Structures are given as C-alpha cells and as structure tokens.
Amino acid sequence: MNGRKDQHQPDSQGRTEPTLGDLDHLDAGRPPAADDDLPKVTLGAADRRRAGAASAQRPARSGGSRGWLWPLLLLVVIGAGVTLWLEQDRLRGLVPSTELNDVLGRAEQALHDGRLDGSDGTSARELFEAARALEPDNDRARDGLRKVGLAEVAKADAALAAGKPDDAEQAMNAARELLGGGSDVDRLAQAIAKARSATFQAGALVDQAQQAMADDKPEEAGALYRRILAADPGNAVATHGLDKVGDALAAKARKAIDAGDRDAAIASVDRLAALLPNYGELPSLRAALVQDQKQDDGQVAEAIRLGQTALRAGRIAGTGNDTALAHFKDALALDPENPQAKAGLGQVAQALVVQANAALDSGDNAQASRLLDQAGELAPKSAELAAARAHLSDVTRHAEGAAAPSGELPEADAQAALSPQQSAELARMVRQAEAAARRGDVMLPPGESAYDLYRRALAIDGNNEAARHGLQELPALVVQQFNQALANGDLKRAGDRLSDLGDLAPGEAGQAELRQRLASAWMDQAEERLAGGDRPGAAQALDHARKLAPGNPRVSSIAARLQSGG
C-alpha cells in the first residue's frame, strides 16, 4: 500500500517500475523454484571434476598471455647493444684522458706548492703549457695559466715589499707573458721603476753597458741601457748609448745579408725591432730581407723547375748535375724547409721504386735491390717502397728455392705452402693492421702501428694481397682522416696525419694544399684566441701556423698584432 504499482501490472503507458520485492518475509525460507518447463540437468562426479579443472586452468591462460614481455625485453637489450657498438667512438671520446688529467693534477699541485715557473718540467707554468699542448682548448689548462699569472703578480708585490726590485721585475715579466698585460702589470711596472729610482746608481750600469759594447755584445748593452731608462727616462747618456746599440745591430744584420746568412740576418733584425721598434733603419733592413728572400725564392723556384723537367725526361738520379735528384737537392740547400723541393725528392723516390719493380719483372733482382736502396735514402718509410721490398724478398726466396738440389723440398714451395700456424698469424696481423689504421695508429706506436704490422705480415708472405693492398692504401686513408680531423677542429690530429702522409708518400702532389689548409686553420685559431684575450694560446697557435707556412703574409700580420698587444 505504498502507492506504487505492481511490477507485473502494466500501467496505462506500458511502463514497469522496479521493486525490491516482499521485504516483510525476508526471514522466511526460500520458496521452491518454479517449474520453468526446461529439461533438468544433473552433473555427475566426473563432470564436476572436469568443470573444476577447466576453471583452474583459466588463470594459467591469463598468466601465459604475458609471454610477449620476454621477446620485447630481448629486442630492447639487442637495440641497446647495437647502439653502444655504433656509438663506441663517440663514447670513447667522452672518457677523460688519463695523461691529460695527470698533467693537470700535477700542475695544480705545483701551483698550490708555489712552484710557479722553472725549466725542469715540474713547475705549474710548464705543466699547464704541456696540458695545453695535449688539448689546446682545455679550459682547466687555460684557467690554470691565468692563475699562475695572478700568482706571479702576488709574487712581484711580495718582492717589492721585501725591497727586491729585480725579483719583482722577473715575476712581473712572467705575469705579462701569461696575462697579456693588464692593470696589475702596469701598476707593478710603475712601482718597480719608483723603487729603483730611489736607490738607482746609473754610473755603474753605464760602465757595464759601454764594456759590453766594447766586447761586441750589443744585445747585452741594450738591456743595460733599457734598465737605466726605465728608472730614469730622461737619461741622455742611456738614450745615446741605445742609439749606438741600434747602429751595431743594424750593421750585423747587413753583414749577414751580404754573406747570405739569412737566419742570422733575421735574428739581428728581430732583436733590433724588440729593442728599438722605432729605429730609423728598421724599414730598410726589412726591405733588404724581403729582396733577399725574393732572390732566394727565384733560385729555389728555378731549381725545382729544372728538377721537374729532368723527372719528366726520365733523368731520375745518377752522375752529373742535370738529374732530378741533383736539382731538388740544390733547392733544399737554398731553402731546407721548402715543401715543393721535399715533394720533389719524394717523387724521385717513387720513380726509383717504379724502376725497381720493372727490374724485378725482368728478373734483374740485383738492379732492383740497388734502386730500392737509393729510394730508401730519400723516403725510408714510403709505403710503396715497403711493398716493393717485400716483393723483392719473396722473389729472391723463390729463386733460391728453384736452385735447390734435386730431391730436396724447394724453399719457395715451403714458403708458398704456409703452415696453419703461419697462415693464422698472417691473418691476425692483417686484422690488427686494419684496426690500427682505422684508429689512426698509422706510423706509431712502433711495432703496433698499421705500417709495422703490414710489413711484418709481408715478411711472412711477400705476395699476400691483403697486406700489400692495405699498405699501399695507407696514404689514401691518412688523407681521409686528415680531412675528418680538420672538419672536427682537431688540428693536432690533423697535423699528425699530415706528418704520417709525408712519411708514407713524400711525393704526394696534394700535400702542399693540405699543408696550407692546416696552416689557415691554425691562423684562424690564433686570431680567435687573440680576440678573446688568450695571448699565450694565440702565440702557440701562431707557432704551429708559422711552421707550416713561414712565408704566409697572414702569419706576419697576426704576429704584429700579437706583439703590439692588439
């Protein structure tokens, strides 16, 4: 009587309301099930067991559905392994250099101990500079040199306070080299000059300077006069003496130019420029050096031209002065570091190797040996020379085997039929050589370099194709590694590869272009470091460039900026 309609009693709209049933008889027993007219099914004991077994198996099938996780995990592990293998070179590069860290650690300890500078290789400055040589862009080394410079400033202050102006000046000069000048260095220079002026005795220094001039030691006299002027800028005697020093150095430079001693002339002009940058005859001396260089360059160029002409005409070496070898040696006598003349000697070596191979093919082993010996004097580490010598050795063994007495096993057959151990050793050496070449261990370390390993393999079998091909392809591989190192900005590695190429293929025509590219990269680095205030780093980079391209005008321009502080 709750006002709701029975669920089995349809309303006028055909809707049936949900009900909870008869709540008044919840405690009554369950009424018997109504007959629904369906067939009755009774399960026996066997049927119940099968039903129970089926229900017990359902969780097992549910757990088995997770079996896909194991293949997925296996794929992940394989993928990680492949990634590590492909990226091993990059990951290896992330491992810090043990040698570099050791040098930096010793440098920092030396700085902490107060061993700032020296000449025995254990001072902080020497060690930080050694670290810079290992890795030019290392921030710890650069910052370490800056700290050494600041420590030298503190050392100079302490020396001034102790009344030791000479020690203070020495520390100040070291600070200037490391810091590239600055307010602290200027302050020290003024303080040192003031300290010296208080107790300065110019007469004794003038006497020493005049004696140095009498002993034909103008550089020493110049240093003494500079000391006098540093303490007393208006000293007329020192000013006049310094002019005499300039005249003496200029005379020495002109004498060296007339004698053809270019190195001595350059040294005298450089000393004069450092001592008296505004000396009146300095421009004319530089012009004389340039003119002398042009004359030498003309003679060198002519000798190289004659050498190339003789090379094309087949006059490789031998007696007389009109051979390629003789002309290239004349060029090197005028300019010992001329890259074109060095390349010419390499071309002569290559031509001698070609002639030796032709002699081998014709059966003249003695002539081939003589030609290879001549080539070895010019290019002892040439890859072509090493391959030709291995071939000659193998041919000689065959010839000796062919002459063996009847009934004996010819030595040639014994060499041709390598034992299993020899074959395995040969294959192992070739694999090691290929791996060393890929790592860049082309000429070093001795015994484990690609060059040495290929030669050892050829000593076992002089005709082994893999070893001969690998040895002859080393120059091309070195050029590839040079280009890659240069693209990555690793100029030290690029320089190593260029040096390897000079050993392996001294007559390679493209070496001059590679040398200029590397020199240009070093000059770019010098300018960048100079612009960033890193004067020691700029000087180091410029030294590398000067060795590669000493006559490049850009080298002189950067050197002038470095000297002027700009």
Side-chain angles (χ1 to χ4, degrees):
M1 308 306 85
N2 53 12
R4 299 183 64 177
K5 294 183 180 180
D6 189 277
Q7 62 177 336
H8 301 294
Q9 192 176 29
D11 59 9
S12 59
Q13 298 179 357
R15 175 178 175 182
T16 303
E17 294 289 341
T19 66
L20 295 176
D22 188 1
L23 301 179
D24 296 332
H25 300 85
L26 288 176
D27 297 332
R30 182 177 181 181
D35 189 357
D36 53 6
D37 296 330
L38 296 176
K40 303 293 188 291
V41 177
T42 303
L43 294 177
D47 295 328
R48 286 194 297 272
R49 284 195 297 273
R50 284 195 295 271
S55 64
Q57 290 174 356
R58 289 192 191 97
R61 289 195 300 270
S62 175
S65 64
R66 292 192 297 271
W68 56 271
L69 287 175
W70 292 107
L72 178 61
L73 289 174
L74 182 59
L75 288 174
V76 170
V77 171
I78 292 174
V82 171
T83 301
L84 290 174
W85 173 260
L86 295 176
E87 298 293 331
Q88 59 178 320
D89 292 335
R90 187 176 67 85
L91 293 173
R92 191 181 296 115
L94 298 177
V95 179
S97 170
T98 302
E99 180 183 3
L100 177 62
N101 288 337
D102 177 66
V103 173
L104 287 171
R106 289 189 288 122
E108 290 167 350
Q109 184 61 46
L111 178 60
H112 181 269
D113 295 342
R115 292 181 282 110
L116 304 181
D117 205 350
S119 58
D120 60 355
T122 63
S123 67
R125 178 176 180 175
E126 292 172 294
L127 291 169
F128 279 125
E129 287 176 346
R132 285 286 294 274
L134 291 173
E135 186 176 317
D137 294 324
N138 187 275
D139 292 335
R140 284 178 63 190
R142 184 185 298 112
D143 186 59
L145 287 173
R146 183 185 64 82
K147 290 179 179 178
V148 173
L150 295 176
E152 292 284 7
V153 170
K155 183 178 178 181
D157 284 328
L160 273 176
K164 300 178 180 178
D166 290 341
D167 292 347
E169 184 178 22
Q170 183 178 2
M172 179 194 68
N173 290 335
R176 179 182 284 113
E177 293 173 0
L178 292 166
L179 301 176
S183 59
D184 285 334
V185 174
D186 294 339
R187 172 183 59 78
L188 283 170
Q190 295 174 2
I192 292 171
K194 184 177 180 180
R196 280 178 169 159
S197 63
T199 57
F200 182 70
Q201 298 294 330
L205 291 180
V206 168
D207 292 341
Q208 294 177 28
Q210 291 175 346
Q211 184 61 47
M213 287 293 292
D215 295 338
D216 194 23
K217 298 177 180 179
E219 297 90 346
E220 183 178 328
L224 291 168
Y225 284 131
R226 289 290 297 271
R227 283 185 58 186
I228 297 173
L229 290 172
D232 183 9
N235 190 293
V237 175
T239 301
H240 180 66
L242 205 55
D243 289 337
K244 288 185 176 180
V245 169
D247 294 341
L249 289 175
K252 290 181 69 173
R254 291 193 182 281
K255 183 178 179 180
I257 291 174
D258 294 339
D261 190 350
R262 181 173 176 79
D263 292 338
I266 292 175
S268 294
V269 171
D270 287 344
R271 284 193 291 268
L272 177 58
L275 191 64
L276 294 168
N278 297 320
Y279 185 74
E281 293 188 36
L282 195 57
S284 62
L285 287 171
R286 292 193 185 279
L289 281 175
V290 171
Q291 183 63 31
D292 184 65
Q293 179 66 49
K294 287 181 178 179
Q295 293 177 357
D296 285 350
D297 288 347
Q299 295 175 4
V300 170
E302 178 63 13
I304 292 173
R305 186 189 68 79
L306 292 173
Q308 293 292 345
T309 300
L311 196 62
R312 288 191 294 270
R315 300 191 305 275
I316 310 301
T319 59
N321 297 324
D322 193 21
T323 65
L325 180 59
H327 289 305
F328 288 132
K329 284 185 174 180
D330 289 343
L332 286 172
L334 293 169
D335 184 1
E337 297 301 322
N338 187 278
Q340 291 177 305
K342 287 184 176 181
L345 286 184
Q347 291 174 329
V348 170
Q350 287 179 334
L352 291 172
V353 171
V354 171
Q355 290 181 344
N357 285 327
L360 276 174
D361 293 339
S362 64
D364 192 348
N365 296 352
Q367 175 66 3
S369 179
R370 285 192 294 270
L371 291 169
L372 291 179
D373 288 342
Q374 291 182 49
E377 295 176 359
L378 303 174
K381 296 182 179 180
S382 165
E384 293 289 345
L385 173 65
R389 277 181 165 161
H391 183 47
L392 172 62
S393 177
D394 192 73
V395 169
T396 302
R397 286 197 298 264
H398 278 72
E400 292 173 352
S406 176
E408 294 184 7
L409 179 64
E411 186 179 351
D413 292 342
Q415 291 291 335
L418 298 177
S419 67
Q421 292 81 3
Q422 288 177 313
S423 297
E425 179 68 8
L426 178 61
R428 184 184 65 82
M429 284 186 182
V430 170
R431 289 195 301 271
Q432 288 181 336
E434 291 170 347
R438 288 193 299 270
R439 290 194 307 270
D441 297 337
V442 180
M443 304 300 292
L444 295 173
E448 299 298 327
S449 65
Y451 176 80
D452 288 340
L453 288 167
Y454 278 132
R455 291 178 64 201
R456 286 165 58 189
L458 288 171
I460 298 175
D461 181 3
N463 284 326
N464 184 269
E465 183 61 27
R468 291 183 65 182
H469 179 74
L471 185 61
Q472 292 170 334
E473 286 299 310
L474 281 179
L477 178 63
V478 165
V479 172
Q480 293 178 4
Q481 293 179 351
F482 170 88
N483 290 327
Q484 186 62 46
L486 199 61
N488 294 339
D490 191 348
L491 304 189
K492 182 179 182 302
R493 181 178 174 84
D496 292 341
R497 296 293 78 80
L498 186 62
S499 177
D500 291 342
L501 186 61
D503 288 335
L504 290 168
E508 182 69 32
Q511 287 189 54
E513 188 265 338
L514 298 182
R515 181 181 296 270
Q516 290 299 324
R517 286 172 56 198
L518 182 57
S520 179
W522 278 117
M523 285 185 278
D524 289 343
Q525 188 176 105
E527 289 184 330
E528 291 174 3
R529 293 184 173 177
L530 187 59
D534 182 9
R535 296 174 62 81
Q540 187 180 49
L542 187 61
D543 286 341
H544 286 292
R546 185 182 286 110
K547 291 176 183 178
L548 293 166
N552 192 306
R554 192 176 165 201
V555 171
S556 302
S557 174
I558 298 173
R561 288 169 54 195
L562 187 63
Q563 186 175 8
S564 65

